[in-house]
């Protein structure tokens, strides 16, 4: 087992034992709901499966959004024209508010047209998930080839997202390429950053709201400069070996 995973599993196991030992504990988070299930007479899961589930969820939710946002800030830093357009969109939202310090509302979020394009462009280039795995349940014929039943298949989203026949100048960070395109809410054969089909990412909408809220606060309240890092590796997952440190300054 990977060292980091081993440590995380140990922490989770400790948390589980602590919570299991306290029958008075209220249901406060998802982990509590899982533990409540384990306490039932015929639980749907075992302790091992529950711990595995919690680990995978942590990985699927925290790691992905943090990485996407890190790459996002780097791409914004390198593309001041995009920051200008974002600032315009978000300052207009703040100007139209009764209380400028109020939190982002759903209507405001839905009005963030350019921001939605920026988010699509960040996740297209981030390729957080470099491979999606499936198994052929029956022989599948594709363009004269046969994928035999039982074979494992790795779908490779970056091959689609960086294909110049689909995305012109594919390595360029160009949010405007999404302009006037209908919103993609699921996966398509040209966009699969969040997967597609039955196992489509359940966190897609949460991710988008999270990124939009982050961008809203970043461009309305702060200016920033790079302090260090920002080098990218693909192993094949996206990574920042020297981190990416920025310094924030309050605006005005
Ligand atoms: C940038 C952010 C994210 C990206 C790029 C991403 C990407 C993906 C992809 C490609 C899949 C499909 C895997 C497959 O088909 O085998 C997936 C599944 C999943 N994602 Fe995400 N995800 C993100 C954020 C999140 C968040 C925030 C959560 C939870 C709060 C989450 C929870 C899940 C879960 C539970 C699945 C499995 C769904 C299933 O198998 O039915 N993801 N994600």
């Amino acid at each position: 087992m990977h060292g980091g995973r081993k440590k995380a599993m140990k922490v989770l196991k400790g948390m589980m034992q602590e919570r299991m030992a306290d029958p008075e504990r209220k249901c406060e988070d998802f982990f509590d709901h899982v533990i409540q299930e384990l306490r039932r007479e015929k639980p749907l899961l075992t302790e091992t499966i529950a711990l595995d589930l919690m680990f995978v969820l942590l990985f699927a939710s925290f790691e992905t959004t943090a990485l996407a946002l890190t790459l996002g800030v780097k791409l914004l830093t390198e593309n001041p024209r995009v920051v200008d357009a974002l600032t315009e969109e978000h300052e207009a939202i703040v100007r139209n508010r009764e209380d400028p310090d109020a939190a982002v509302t759903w209507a405001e979020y839905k009005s963030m047209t350019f921001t939605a394009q920026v988010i699509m462009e960040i996740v297209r280039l981030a390729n957080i998930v470099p491979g999606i795995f499936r198994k052929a349940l029956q022989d599948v014929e594709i363009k004269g080839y046969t994928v035999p039943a039982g074979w494992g298949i790795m779908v490779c989203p970056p091959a689609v997202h960086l294909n110049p026949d689909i995305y012109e100048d594919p390595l360029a960070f160009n949010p405007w390429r999404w302009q006037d395109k209908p919103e993609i809410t699921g996966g398509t054969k040209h966009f699969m950053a969040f997967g597609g089909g039955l196992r489509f990412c359940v966190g897609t909408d949460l991710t988008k709201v999270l990124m939009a809220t982050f961008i809203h606060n970043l461009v309305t309240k702060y200016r920033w400069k790079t302090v260090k890092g920002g080098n990218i590796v693909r192993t094949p997952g996206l990574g920042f070996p020297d981190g990416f440190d920025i310094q924030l300054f309050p605006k005005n």
Side-chain angles (χ1 to χ4, degrees), residues 36-195:
Q36 208 175 38
E37 177 63 34
L38 286 175
R39 284 214 179 96
R40 281 162 54 148
E41 210 169 299
K42 284 190 187 153
L44 289 169
L45 345 117
T46 62
E47 279 191 28
T48 315
I49 293 175
L51 283 172
D52 216 52
L53 173 71
M54 291 312 297
F55 177 81
V56 170
L57 261 183
L58 274 178
F59 190 70
S61 60
F62 177 76
E63 181 82 7
T64 48
T65 39
L67 269 172
L69 278 171
T70 308
L71 182 72
V73 174
K74 183 175 153 76
L75 292 169
L76 292 181
T77 310
E78 290 165 355
N79 293 273
R81 224 162 60 85
V82 178
V83 179
D84 289 347
L86 280 172
T87 308
E88 199 175 303
E89 179 161 284
H90 289 275
E91 284 186 345
I93 289 174
V94 174
R95 266 199 309 276
N96 287 327
R97 268 184 200 155
E98 279 177 28
D99 172 7
D101 295 321
V104 175
T105 65
W106 184 247
E108 286 171 356
Y109 168 64
K110 293 310 267 183
S111 78
M112 298 173 183
T113 321
F114 183 65
T115 307
Q117 293 165 19
V118 171
I119 292 171
M120 286 295 282
E121 189 66 349
I122 292 172
V123 293
R124 178 185 72 84
L125 283 172
N127 288 303
I128 304 284
V129 176
I132 300 174
F133 299 94
R134 292 294 183 271
K135 189 173 172 181
L137 295 178
Q138 56 192 50
D139 287 4
V140 182
E141 307 285 337
I142 297 175
K143 294 185 181 169
Y145 294 90
T146 305
V147 181
W151 274 37
I153 299 165
M154 188 176 113
V155 181
C156 183
V160 173
H161 298 150
L162 303 178
N163 180 348
D165 294 335
I166 303 173
Y167 295 98
E168 196 189 323
D169 196 5
L171 294 177
F173 177 60
N174 175 14
W176 288 278
R177 71 169 84 241
W178 298 97
Q179 208 167 14
D180 304 323
K181 297 242 167 72
E183 189 191 357
I184 301 177
T185 51
T188 73
K189 66 178 178 172
H190 291 168
F191 180 78
M192 48 184 84
F194 297 103

Side-chain angles (χ1 to χ4, degrees), residues 9 11-12 17-18 25 31-32 46 63 68 85 88 95 110 134 147 175 208 247 249-250:
M9 290 304 279
V11 173
L12 286 170
Q17 280 161 354
E18 210 172 279
R25 199 186 149 83
F31 204 178
D32 286 323
T46 62
E63 181 82 7
E88 199 175 303
R95 266 199 309 276
K110 293 310 267 183
R134 292 294 183 271
V147 181
K208 289 180 177 175
Q247 187 176 4
F249 305 94

